Amino acid sequence: MNMPPTDINVLNRRFGAPGRIAFRTDKMGAPILALVNRYGSCELSLYGGHVLDYRPIGHVPVLFMSKKSLFEPGKPIRGGIPVCWPWFGSASEKTLPLHGFARIMPWDLHSTEYSSDVTEARLSLSASEATRRFWPHAFELTLRVWLDQRLNLALTTVNRDAHPITFTQAFHPYFRIRQIMDVNVRGLDQAPYRDLLTNQTGTQTGVLNIRAETDRVYTPPAPECVLHDPGIGRALALAYTGAKRLVVWNPWIDKARAMPDFGDDEYTGMICLEPANTDGDEVTLEPGARHTLSLALQASLI
Ligand code: BG6
C-alpha cells in the first residue's frame, strides 16, 4: 500500500494557483495540498483524503494532530479529520482495519478550483484491486473540501456495482482544545446515547463535560453542536448532513498511554466529535444511487 511516486511540480502546474492552492509532500511521500482564501487556510493529504490542518484567520489551529502520528503507509494518521468508510469501528471480520480502509488509501486528486471567496479541491477513491482485498464491491467515493468562511467537507458515495451496497461511515475530526476539563459540548441536551465502553444507554442533561474516558454514540436533537472552549476563547460550530449520530471520543489516561501513535498527555488537548452512521443505521444504496455526508466547521471568538 505504498504511495505512488509523485512529482510535486507536475501537481503544482496542473492543479496549483499562486497564493491559493499549493502542494508539498509529507515524510511518506504523500502529496499534501494547501488551500488558502481570504478567511483562512487548510491542508489536505491525498493519503486517506485526510484534512490535516485548518486555520481560520485570527484563530489558533482548529484541528489537533498528535506529535506521535506515524505518517506511514498502511497506518492511519492520528489527528486532523480521518474519513471512516465503508465501516465505522470494527468490521464483522476482525482482521480488517478499524474504521475502514478509506483513511489508509492513496486518493486521486480530481480537480481544484477557486473564486474570490472560495477555494476547493475534489478527491476521489474508486474500487481497485487494493480496495477489493477489504471490500468486494464497486464504488466511487468523492471528497469535496472547500474553504469559504467555513471549512466544508462533503463525502459522496456512489454505488457502481450491480447489486445494493451497505456501509457505515464517519468524519472523525480531532479538535484542538486548551484543556479537556474546561471545554463543553452544547447542543446535546436531552439526546439519548449509547456508551460504547459500558454498553449502557443514557440521556444527556445540559452541556456535555468530559471528566473521564468517553466513547459515546449520541442521537442528537439536531445535526449541529458547538464546542465551547473558554481557554482558547473560541466557539466552534459543527453543522452536518447525512449522519444520524454524533460520536464523542476522548481516550483519557490509560488508553492514551496504550496508543503508540499518541502522546501520554495529549488527551488533555483534544476531543473528537464525529458525525456518523454507525452500526444499526447502515446506509444501503441501490446500483447507481448516491449518499452524501457533509460537515461544516465555523469558528467564532468568545
Ligand atoms: C472512535 C471510536 O470513533 O475512534 C473509538 O468510537 C475508537 O472506539 C476511536 O477508539 C479511535 O479509533 P482509532 O482506530 O483511530 O484508534
Side-chain angles (χ1 to χ4, degrees):
M1 213 179 295
N2 289 330
M3 288 301 296
T6 315
D7 186 331
I8 285 301
N9 293 329
V10 172
L11 285 175
N12 270 317
R13 271 200 302 277
R14 185 159 167 217
F15 295 106
R20 302 295 298 274
I21 301 165
F23 293 83
R24 64 181 178 88
T25 48
D26 68 9
K27 68 173 192 181
M28 66 176 143
I32 292 176
L33 169 57
L35 304 180
V36 180
N37 74 353
R38 66 170 91 172
Y39 306 110
S41 62
C42 73
E43 281 202 325
L44 170 62
S45 176
L46 294 196
Y47 179 74
H50 197 122
V51 174
L52 302 171
D53 190 23
Y54 172 41
R55 296 174 193 230
I57 283 175
H59 288 269
V60 296
V62 165
L63 299 174
F64 163 89
M65 178 60 65
S66 171
K67 290 190 173 59
K68 294 179 77 178
S69 180
L70 294 170
F71 291 95
E72 278 174 15
K75 300 276 170 55
I77 295 169
R78 181 71 69 193
I81 310 184
V83 172
C84 304
W85 189 97
W87 56 86
F88 176 83
S90 46
S92 44
E93 176 54 68
K94 297 297 173 219
T95 54
L96 290 172
L98 200 67
H99 288 328
F101 56 80
R103 65 177 181 166
I104 53 169
M105 286 277 165
W107 289 50
D108 294 320
L109 181 57
H110 177 268
S111 59
T112 55
E113 58 186 84
Y114 65 98
S115 62
S116 59
D117 279 354
V118 186
T119 312
E120 172 172 337
R122 277 178 195 238
L123 277 58
S124 61
L125 178 70
S126 302
S128 65
E129 221 172 282
T131 67
R132 283 181 189 282
R133 287 197 299 126
F134 299 115
W135 206 57
H137 308 293
F139 66 89
E140 193 183 299
L141 206 53
T142 309
L143 179 66
R144 265 182 80 206
V145 177
W146 71 104
L147 262 187
D148 46 26
Q149 293 185 29
R150 311 189 292 180
L151 174 68
N152 308 274
L153 287 82
L155 179 73
T156 299
T157 306
V158 184
N159 180 359
R160 293 287 179 218
D161 221 316
H163 53 260
I165 60 170
T166 295
F167 58 94
T168 55
Q169 61 180 353
F171 285 127
H172 193 309
Y174 287 72
F175 295 113
R176 175 183 159 143
I177 53 176
R178 179 63 50 79
Q179 166 51 250
I180 189 70
M181 298 294 282
D182 297 336
V183 299
N184 59 68
V185 182
R186 302 178 177 193
L188 294 174
D189 188 27
Q190 299 309 313
Y193 65 81
R194 186 163 51 91
D195 191 320
L196 296 177
L197 302 169
T198 61
N199 216 18
Q200 307 282 309
T201 54
T203 302
Q204 181 63 36
T205 315
V207 300
L208 171 64
N209 299 296
I210 308 289
R211 298 284 182 266
E213 182 181 355
T214 303
D215 198 352
R216 287 182 182 174
V217 182
Y218 279 90
T219 303
E224 56 198 23
C225 66
V226 176
L227 174 59
H228 198 81
D229 186 342
I232 284 182
R234 176 162 65 202
L236 184 73
L238 283 75
Y240 47 93
T241 65
K244 291 190 177 143
R245 316 283 174 213
L246 185 79
V247 178
V248 180
W249 182 63
N250 182 289
W252 215 251
I253 299 166
D254 293 346
K255 199 158 280 174
R257 289 198 180 133
M259 290 193 290
D261 59 346
F262 191 84
D264 288 358
D265 298 328
E266 285 184 323
Y267 75 93
T268 60
M270 55 71 68
I271 183 170
C272 291
L273 302 173
E274 313 159 33
N277 294 305
T278 59
D279 281 349
D281 35 71
E282 294 83 359
V283 179
T284 296
L285 294 178
E286 295 299 319
R290 62 185 57 217
H291 172 276
T292 298
L293 169 68
S294 77
L295 171 65
L297 304 178
Q298 181 154 33
S300 327
L301 298 172
I302 52 170

Coordinates of all heavy atoms in Angstrom, one line a residue, residues 2-58:
N2 N 1.9 1.2 -0.8 CA 2.8 2.4 -0.9 C 2.1 3.5 -1.6 O 1.3 3.3 -2.5 CB 4.1 2.1 -1.5 CG 5.0 1.2 -0.6 OD1 4.8 1.3 0.6 ND2 5.7 0.3 -1.2
M3 N 2.5 4.8 -1.3 CA 2.0 5.9 -2.1 C 2.7 5.8 -3.5 O 3.9 5.6 -3.6 CB 2.4 7.2 -1.4 CG 1.6 7.5 -0.2 SD -0.2 7.6 -0.4 CE -0.3 9.0 -1.5
P4 N 1.9 6.1 -4.5 CA 2.6 6.1 -5.9 C 3.5 7.3 -5.9 O 3.3 8.3 -5.2 CB 1.4 6.3 -6.8 CG 0.2 6.6 -6.0 CD 0.5 6.3 -4.6
P5 N 4.7 7.2 -6.7 CA 5.6 8.4 -6.7 C 4.9 9.6 -7.3 O 4.1 9.5 -8.1 CB 6.7 7.9 -7.6 CG 6.2 6.6 -8.3 CD 5.1 6.1 -7.5
T6 N 5.2 10.7 -6.7 CA 4.5 12.0 -7.1 C 5.5 13.0 -7.5 O 6.5 13.2 -6.8 CB 3.7 12.5 -5.9 OG1 3.1 11.5 -5.2 CG2 2.8 13.6 -6.3
D7 N 5.2 13.7 -8.6 CA 6.0 14.9 -9.0 C 5.2 16.1 -8.6 O 4.2 16.5 -9.2 CB 6.3 14.8 -10.5 CG 7.3 15.9 -10.9 OD1 7.3 17.0 -10.2 OD2 8.0 15.7 -11.8
I8 N 5.7 16.7 -7.5 CA 5.0 17.9 -6.9 C 5.0 19.0 -7.9 O 4.0 19.8 -8.0 CB 5.7 18.3 -5.6 CG1 5.4 17.3 -4.5 CG2 5.4 19.7 -5.2 CD1 3.9 17.2 -4.2
N9 N 6.0 19.1 -8.8 CA 6.0 20.2 -9.8 C 4.8 20.0 -10.8 O 4.2 21.0 -11.2 CB 7.3 20.3 -10.5 CG 8.4 20.7 -9.6 OD1 8.2 21.5 -8.7 ND2 9.6 20.2 -9.8
V10 N 4.6 18.7 -11.1 CA 3.5 18.4 -12.1 C 2.2 18.8 -11.4 O 1.3 19.4 -12.0 CB 3.6 16.9 -12.5 CG1 2.3 16.6 -13.3 CG2 4.8 16.6 -13.3
L11 N 2.0 18.4 -10.1 CA 0.8 18.7 -9.4 C 0.6 20.2 -9.3 O -0.5 20.8 -9.6 CB 0.8 18.1 -8.0 CG 0.5 16.6 -7.9 CD1 0.7 16.2 -6.5 CD2 -0.9 16.3 -8.4
N12 N 1.7 21.0 -9.0 CA 1.5 22.4 -8.9 C 1.2 23.1 -10.2 O 0.4 24.0 -10.3 CB 2.8 23.0 -8.3 CG 2.8 23.1 -6.8 OD1 1.8 23.5 -6.2 ND2 3.9 22.7 -6.2
R13 N 1.8 22.5 -11.3 CA 1.5 23.1 -12.6 C 0.0 22.8 -13.0 O -0.7 23.7 -13.5 CB 2.4 22.5 -13.7 CG 3.7 23.4 -13.9 CD 4.3 23.1 -15.2 NE 4.7 21.7 -15.4 CZ 5.8 21.1 -14.9 NH1 6.7 21.8 -14.3 NH2 6.0 19.8 -15.1
R14 N -0.4 21.6 -12.8 CA -1.7 21.2 -13.2 C -2.9 21.7 -12.3 O -3.9 22.1 -12.8 CB -1.8 19.6 -13.3 CG -3.0 19.1 -13.9 CD -2.9 17.7 -14.4 NE -4.2 17.2 -14.7 CZ -4.6 16.0 -14.5 NH1 -3.8 15.1 -14.1 NH2 -5.9 15.7 -14.7
F15 N -2.6 21.7 -11.0 CA -3.7 21.9 -10.1 C -3.5 23.2 -9.2 O -4.4 23.6 -8.4 CB -4.0 20.7 -9.2 CG -4.5 19.5 -9.9 CD1 -3.6 18.4 -10.1 CD2 -5.8 19.4 -10.3 CE1 -4.1 17.3 -10.7 CE2 -6.2 18.3 -10.9 CZ -5.4 17.2 -11.1
G16 N -2.3 23.7 -9.2 CA -1.9 24.8 -8.3 C -2.4 26.1 -8.8 O -2.8 26.3 -9.9
A17 N -2.4 27.1 -7.9 CA -2.8 28.5 -8.2 C -2.0 29.4 -7.2 O -2.2 29.2 -6.0 CB -4.3 28.7 -8.1
P18 N -1.2 30.3 -7.7 CA -0.4 31.1 -6.8 C -1.2 31.8 -5.7 O -2.2 32.4 -5.9 CB 0.3 32.2 -7.7 CG 0.2 31.6 -9.1 CD -1.0 30.7 -9.1
G19 N -0.7 31.6 -4.5 CA -1.3 32.2 -3.3 C -2.6 31.5 -2.9 O -3.2 31.8 -1.8
R20 N -3.1 30.5 -3.6 CA -4.4 29.9 -3.3 C -4.3 28.4 -3.1 O -5.0 27.8 -2.3 CB -5.5 30.2 -4.4 CG -5.7 31.7 -4.6 CD -6.3 32.4 -3.4 NE -7.6 31.9 -3.1 CZ -8.7 32.3 -3.6 NH1 -8.7 33.3 -4.5 NH2 -9.9 31.8 -3.2
I21 N -3.5 27.7 -4.0 CA -3.5 26.2 -4.0 C -2.1 25.8 -4.2 O -1.5 26.2 -5.3 CB -4.4 25.6 -5.1 CG1 -5.9 26.1 -4.9 CG2 -4.3 24.1 -5.1 CD1 -6.8 25.9 -6.1
A22 N -1.5 25.1 -3.3 CA -0.1 24.7 -3.5 C 0.1 23.3 -2.9 O -0.6 22.8 -2.0 CB 0.8 25.7 -2.8
F23 N 1.2 22.6 -3.4 CA 1.4 21.2 -3.0 C 2.8 21.1 -2.3 O 3.7 21.8 -2.6 CB 1.5 20.3 -4.2 CG 0.1 20.2 -4.9 CD1 -0.3 21.1 -5.7 CD2 -0.7 19.1 -4.5 CE1 -1.6 21.1 -6.3 CE2 -2.0 19.0 -5.1 CZ -2.4 20.0 -6.0
R24 N 2.9 20.1 -1.4 CA 4.2 19.6 -0.8 C 4.0 18.1 -0.5 O 2.9 17.6 -0.8 CB 4.5 20.4 0.4 CG 3.6 20.2 1.6 CD 4.1 21.0 2.8 NE 3.1 20.9 3.9 CZ 3.2 20.0 4.9 NH1 4.1 19.0 4.8 NH2 2.3 19.9 5.9
T25 N 5.0 17.5 -0.1 CA 4.8 16.1 0.3 C 5.2 15.9 1.8 O 5.9 16.7 2.4 CB 5.8 15.1 -0.5 OG1 7.1 15.6 -0.5 CG2 5.3 14.9 -1.9
D26 N 4.6 14.8 2.4 CA 4.9 14.5 3.7 C 6.0 13.5 3.7 O 6.6 13.2 2.7 CB 3.7 14.0 4.5 CG 3.2 12.7 4.1 OD1 3.9 12.0 3.3 OD2 2.1 12.3 4.5
K27 N 6.4 13.0 4.9 CA 7.6 12.1 5.0 C 7.4 10.8 4.3 O 8.4 10.1 4.0 CB 8.1 12.0 6.4 CG 7.2 11.2 7.3 CD 7.8 11.0 8.7 CE 7.1 10.0 9.5 NZ 7.5 9.7 10.7
M28 N 6.1 10.4 4.1 CA 6.0 9.1 3.3 C 5.8 9.4 1.8 O 5.6 8.5 1.0 CB 4.8 8.3 3.9 CG 3.5 8.9 3.7 SD 2.2 7.7 4.3 CE 1.0 8.9 5.0
G29 N 6.0 10.6 1.4 CA 5.9 11.0 0.0 C 4.5 11.3 -0.5 O 4.2 11.5 -1.6
A30 N 3.5 11.3 0.5 CA 2.1 11.6 0.1 C 2.0 13.1 -0.2 O 2.4 13.9 0.6 CB 1.2 11.2 1.2
P31 N 1.3 13.4 -1.3 CA 1.1 14.8 -1.6 C 0.1 15.5 -0.6 O -0.9 14.9 -0.2 CB 0.4 14.8 -3.0 CG 0.6 13.5 -3.5 CD 0.8 12.6 -2.4
I32 N 0.5 16.7 -0.2 CA -0.4 17.5 0.7 C -0.7 18.8 -0.1 O 0.2 19.4 -0.6 CB 0.4 17.8 2.0 CG1 0.5 16.5 2.8 CG2 -0.4 18.8 2.8 CD1 1.3 16.7 4.1
L33 N -2.0 19.1 0.0 CA -2.5 20.2 -0.8 C -2.9 21.3 0.2 O -3.7 21.0 1.1 CB -3.7 19.6 -1.5 CG -4.7 20.3 -2.3 CD1 -4.1 21.1 -3.3 CD2 -5.6 19.2 -2.9
A34 N -2.4 22.5 0.0 CA -2.8 23.6 0.9 C -3.8 24.5 0.1 O -3.6 24.8 -1.1 CB -1.6 24.5 1.2
L35 N -5.0 24.7 0.8 CA -6.0 25.6 0.2 C -6.0 26.9 1.0 O -6.0 26.8 2.2 CB -7.4 25.0 0.3 CG -7.6 23.6 -0.4 CD1 -9.0 23.1 -0.2 CD2 -7.2 23.6 -1.8
V36 N -6.0 28.0 0.3 CA -6.0 29.3 1.0 C -7.1 30.2 0.5 O -7.3 30.2 -0.8 CB -4.6 30.0 0.8 CG1 -4.5 31.3 1.5 CG2 -3.5 29.1 1.3
N37 N -7.7 31.0 1.3 CA -8.6 32.0 0.8 C -8.5 33.2 1.8 O -7.7 33.1 2.7 CB -10.0 31.6 0.6 CG -10.8 31.4 1.8 OD1 -10.3 31.4 2.9 ND2 -12.1 31.1 1.7
R38 N -9.3 34.2 1.6 CA -9.2 35.4 2.5 C -9.6 35.1 3.9 O -9.4 35.9 4.8 CB -10.0 36.6 1.9 CG -11.5 36.3 2.0 CD -12.2 37.6 1.6 NE -12.4 37.7 0.2 CZ -13.2 38.6 -0.3 NH1 -13.7 39.6 0.4 NH2 -13.4 38.7 -1.6
Y39 N -10.3 34.0 4.2 CA -10.8 33.7 5.5 C -9.9 32.7 6.3 O -10.1 32.4 7.5 CB -12.2 33.1 5.5 CG -13.1 33.9 4.7 CD1 -13.6 33.6 3.5 CD2 -13.5 35.2 5.2 CE1 -14.5 34.4 2.8 CE2 -14.4 36.0 4.6 CZ -14.9 35.6 3.3 OH -15.7 36.4 2.6
G40 N -8.9 32.1 5.6 CA -8.0 31.1 6.3 C -7.3 30.2 5.4 O -7.2 30.4 4.1
S41 N -6.9 29.0 5.9 CA -6.2 28.0 5.1 C -6.5 26.7 5.7 O -6.8 26.5 6.9 CB -4.7 28.3 5.1 OG -4.2 28.2 6.4
C42 N -6.3 25.7 4.8 CA -6.4 24.3 5.3 C -5.4 23.4 4.6 O -4.9 23.9 3.5 CB -7.8 23.7 5.3 SG -8.3 23.3 3.6
E43 N -5.0 22.3 5.1 CA -4.2 21.3 4.4 C -4.9 20.0 4.4 O -5.5 19.6 5.3 CB -2.8 21.2 5.2 CG -1.9 22.4 4.9 CD -0.4 22.0 5.1 OE1 -0.2 21.2 6.0 OE2 0.4 22.5 4.4
L44 N -4.6 19.3 3.3 CA -5.4 18.1 2.9 C -4.4 17.1 2.3 O -3.7 17.5 1.4 CB -6.4 18.5 1.9 CG -7.3 17.6 1.2 CD1 -8.1 16.8 2.2 CD2 -8.2 18.3 0.2
S45 N -4.3 15.9 2.9 CA -3.4 14.9 2.3 C -4.2 14.0 1.3 O -5.3 13.6 1.6 CB -2.9 14.0 3.5 OG -2.1 13.0 2.9
L46 N -3.5 13.6 0.3 CA -4.1 12.6 -0.7 C -4.0 11.2 0.0 O -4.7 10.3 -0.5 CB -3.4 12.6 -2.0 CG -3.6 13.9 -2.9 CD1 -3.2 13.6 -4.3 CD2 -5.0 14.5 -2.8
Y47 N -3.2 11.1 1.0 CA -3.3 9.8 1.8 C -4.5 9.8 2.7 O -4.5 10.6 3.7 CB -2.0 9.6 2.6 CG -1.9 8.4 3.4 CD1 -1.7 7.1 2.8 CD2 -2.1 8.4 4.8 CE1 -1.7 6.0 3.5 CE2 -2.2 7.2 5.5 CZ -1.9 6.0 4.8 OH -2.0 4.8 5.6
G48 N -5.5 9.0 2.4 CA -6.7 9.0 3.2 C -7.7 10.0 2.9 O -8.7 10.0 3.6
G49 N -7.4 10.9 2.0 CA -8.4 12.1 1.8 C -8.6 12.8 3.1 O -9.7 13.0 3.6
H50 N -7.4 13.1 3.7 CA -7.4 13.4 5.2 C -7.1 14.9 5.3 O -6.0 15.4 4.9 CB -6.3 12.6 5.8 CG -6.4 12.5 7.2 ND1 -6.4 11.3 7.9 CD2 -6.3 13.4 8.2 CE1 -6.5 11.5 9.2 NE2 -6.4 12.8 9.4
V51 N -8.0 15.7 5.9 CA -7.7 17.1 6.2 C -6.8 17.1 7.5 O -7.1 16.4 8.5 CB -9.0 17.9 6.6 CG1 -8.7 19.3 7.0 CG2 -9.9 18.0 5.3
L52 N -5.7 17.8 7.3 CA -4.7 17.7 8.4 C -4.7 18.9 9.3 O -4.4 18.9 10.5 CB -3.3 17.7 7.8 CG -3.0 16.5 6.8 CD1 -1.6 16.7 6.1 CD2 -3.0 15.2 7.6
D53 N -5.2 20.1 8.7 CA -5.0 21.3 9.4 C -6.1 22.3 8.9 O -6.4 22.3 7.8 CB -3.6 21.9 9.1 CG -3.2 23.1 9.9 OD1 -3.7 23.2 11.0 OD2 -2.3 23.8 9.5
Y54 N -6.6 23.2 9.8 CA -7.5 24.2 9.4 C -7.2 25.4 10.3 O -7.3 25.3 11.5 CB -8.9 23.7 9.6 CG -10.0 24.8 9.4 CD1 -9.8 25.8 8.4 CD2 -11.1 24.9 10.2 CE1 -10.8 26.8 8.2 CE2 -12.1 25.9 10.1 CZ -11.9 26.8 9.0 OH -12.8 27.8 8.9
R55 N -6.9 26.5 9.7 CA -6.6 27.8 10.4 C -7.4 28.9 9.9 O -7.0 29.6 8.9 CB -5.1 28.1 10.3 CG -4.2 27.1 10.9 CD -2.8 27.3 10.6 NE -2.0 26.1 10.9 CZ -1.0 26.1 11.7 NH1 -0.4 27.2 12.1 NH2 -0.4 24.9 12.0
P56 N -8.6 29.2 10.5 CA -9.3 30.4 10.1 C -8.4 31.6 10.6 O -7.8 31.6 11.6 CB -10.6 30.3 10.9 CG -10.6 29.0 11.6 CD -9.2 28.5 11.6
I57 N -8.4 32.7 9.8 CA -7.6 33.9 10.2 C -8.1 34.4 11.5 O -9.3 34.5 11.8 CB -7.7 34.9 9.1 CG1 -6.8 34.5 7.9 CG2 -7.3 36.3 9.6 CD1 -6.8 35.4 6.7
G58 N -7.1 34.7 12.4 CA -7.4 35.2 13.7 C -7.6 34.1 14.8 O -8.0 34.5 15.9

